[in-house]
Amino acid sequence: MTSVLVTGANKGIGFEFARQYALDGARVYAGCRDPARAEALNALAAAKENLTVHKLDVTIERDIAALADVLNGASLDILVNNAGIGGDLHIYEPATSETFEDVLRTNTIAPVRMALALRTNLEKGDGKIVNISSGRGSHARHRGDGIAYCASKAALNSAMYGLSVLWKDTKLIIVMLAPGVVITDMNPTGRLTPEFSVGAMRDLISRLTTSDNGRYMSYEGKDILW
Ligand SMILES: NC(=O)c1ccc[n+]([C@@H]2O[C@H](COP(=O)([O-])OP(=O)(O)OC[C@H]3O[C@@H](n4cnc5c(N)ncnc54)[C@H](OP(=O)(O)O)[C@@H]3O)[C@@H](O)[C@H]2O)c1
């Protein structure tokens, strides 16, 4: 049985990953900041015994450690580092230091902490570390807005590329995926449904091999300029 851990699984793209993998019969560990308020996710867990809900604020080290304890050395095939915040996305004004720090802590540092905490589990499984990046992490596409958000995704790409080099002699496969412009609370004017974007990304994830290690690409599998 494929095992998957998804962060930020209570809504948007993360919820859709959890839903699709659970319907497919995978063992899904669904992390969210506030399980008591995760109605849709709890309803899914009630219907699918292969999905469990876990308190996971990705910026809190003890939450990450507690979830690693729940796994208790079990193998993990796929880690989906999805949780993220928009911060100053779509804002044409440099972010305050507080916003900048929040965005970096959530979008950049937390996925690295997750990968470090679960490395052993991943090495026992398929070892796929999937980071939900953004086309906005590409310098080539910068519009001058979202100074913190774009920097956080570019830094995520760099940090994860770095891990892909550091761990090149292991079985781990690390990729950074841009999900497209998806209709969620973060992007209400998006074009793609979460169902479509996540379906495409799952297809891509299922076909990943070690030759993809370190790639930054779109949900369609096309390389994106850094
Ligand atoms: N939608 C798009 O067009 C688009 C495009 C490119 C990239 N992305 C990326 O896709 C990912 C998902 O975004 P989305 O569009 O689905 O947005 P969303 O609907 O706002 O969902 C964001 C998710 O991240 C969670 N989250 C935020 N901070 C967290 C933390 N500290 N710990 C744990 N969970 C946290 C949120 O939980 P709460 O409900 O508790 O806040 C929520 O579940 C993000 O990384 C985003 O940058 C989205």
Side-chain angles (χ1 to χ4, degrees):
M1 183 193 277
T2 302
S3 55
V4 185
L5 193 157
V6 184
T7 67
N10 56 303
K11 65 178 185 178
I13 292 168
F15 175 77
E16 188 58 23
F17 267 114
R19 189 185 74 84
Q20 291 192 15
Y21 276 121
L23 292 184
D24 255 11
R27 170 70 178 94
V28 180
Y29 301 90
C32 65
R33 277 201 273 212
D34 189 357
R37 290 177 48 215
E39 289 88 4
L41 190 58
N42 288 325
L44 187 59
K48 305 293 297 179
E49 62 182 21
N50 48 319
L51 182 147
T52 49
V53 180
H54 305 272
K55 184 204 179 301
L56 176 65
D57 182 325
V58 293
T59 64
I60 299 178
E61 288 275 354
R62 68 176 175 279
D63 281 8
I64 296 177
L67 189 47
D69 283 349
V70 168
L71 265 77
N72 192 25
S75 70
L76 183 64
D77 293 311
I78 305 168
L79 164 63
V80 184
N81 273 324
N82 162 81
I85 55 175
D88 63 351
L89 183 62
H90 305 309
I91 296 173
Y92 284 86
E93 188 177 302
T96 62
S97 297
E98 194 179 31
T99 298
F100 218 133
E101 285 171 14
D102 283 348
V103 170
L104 288 174
R105 202 174 291 121
T106 309
N107 296 1
T108 308
I109 299 170
V112 175
R113 305 315 309 177
M114 290 291 300
L116 293 173
L118 299 172
R119 176 183 169 177
T120 308
N121 306 82
L122 286 155
E123 284 188 301
K124 290 181 186 166
D126 288 348
K128 297 176 179 177
I129 302 177
V130 176
N131 300 285
I132 305 305
S133 181
S134 170
R136 306 299 306 280
S138 164
H139 300 322
R141 296 187 185 180
H142 214 301
R143 303 177 198 154
D145 66 341
I147 298 289
Y149 181 81
C150 296
S152 76
K153 294 296 188 179
L156 170 69
N157 293 346
S158 176
M160 286 296 170
Y161 181 80
L163 288 185
S164 79
V165 175
L166 182 66
W167 294 342
K168 65 181 186 314
D169 295 327
T170 72
K171 68 185 295 191
L172 300 174
I173 303 169
I174 303 179
V175 292
M176 294 68 78
L177 299 185
V181 187
V182 185
I183 308 156
T184 65
D185 285 353
M186 190 184 290
N187 207 350
T189 59
R191 286 184 295 105
L192 306 177
T193 62
E195 290 85 346
F196 178 83
S197 170
V198 170
M201 287 191 283
R202 287 182 59 233
D203 181 49
L204 188 55
I205 292 164
S206 72
R207 291 183 284 106
L208 290 174
T209 68
T210 47
S211 66
D212 296 305
N213 192 27
R215 283 180 72 195
Y216 170 36
M217 54 188 150
S218 73
Y219 63 94
E220 297 163 303
K222 294 181 182 155
D223 288 302
I224 301 176
L225 279 178
W226 297 78

